[in-house]
Every structure is written in structure tokens, then in C-alpha cells.
Amino acid sequence: MTRSNYALWLQASLKREAERVAKAEGTTLNQFINVAVAEKLSALRTVEYFKERVGKVLELLNRAGD
């Protein structure tokens, strides 16, 4: 797996809360942030996928109605 570094500037309150939750989950702050980013990307991709699918379904329905 290729890794890269990125300096992330968080608001102090967000960092404290993320550290608290990561500790409660038994993981590191780094891993917590990686999972959070992966979850957000997954959610965005899912929305894009369904928008594309709905568009194709509507196109088919419009053609069927002609």
C-alpha cells in the first residue's frame, strides 16, 4: 500500500473530540481520520451512483412513453 503524508490543520475542539472518540474506539487518531475520510468518499460515490442510475431509468421511461 502506498502511503503519503498530509499536514492536517483541525480546529482544536475537533481534534480533541476526534482523539476522544478514537481512544474510546481503541484506535489511533490517524486511523480514525482515515476511516472518516473513507466513509465520506463512499457516501459521496454512492450518491453519484444513484443519481446516474436514476437518470438512466428516467431516460428509459421517457423513451417508453414516446
Side-chain angles (χ1 to χ4, degrees):
M1 173 190 323
T2 303
R3 295 177 184 247
S4 64
N5 292 326
Y6 179 79
L8 178 64
W9 294 89
L10 290 173
Q11 294 177 5
S13 60
L14 287 176
K15 183 174 180 276
R16 280 191 305 273
E17 184 64 11
E19 288 172 325
R20 185 190 69 73
V21 172
K23 184 176 180 180
E25 293 290 318
T27 190
T28 64
L29 177 59
N30 186 68
Q31 185 62 29
F32 178 80
I33 291 170
N34 271 276
V35 169
V37 170
E39 287 176 356
K40 180 64 176 185
L41 290 172
S42 177
L44 292 171
R45 286 182 183 146
T46 299
V47 168
E48 289 172 10
Y49 173 82
F50 281 111
K51 281 183 179 177
E52 181 181 309
R53 286 292 178 228
V54 166
K56 288 181 180 182
V57 169
L58 290 175
E59 185 179 311
L60 289 171
L61 290 173
N62 284 333
R63 276 194 237 153
D66 290 340

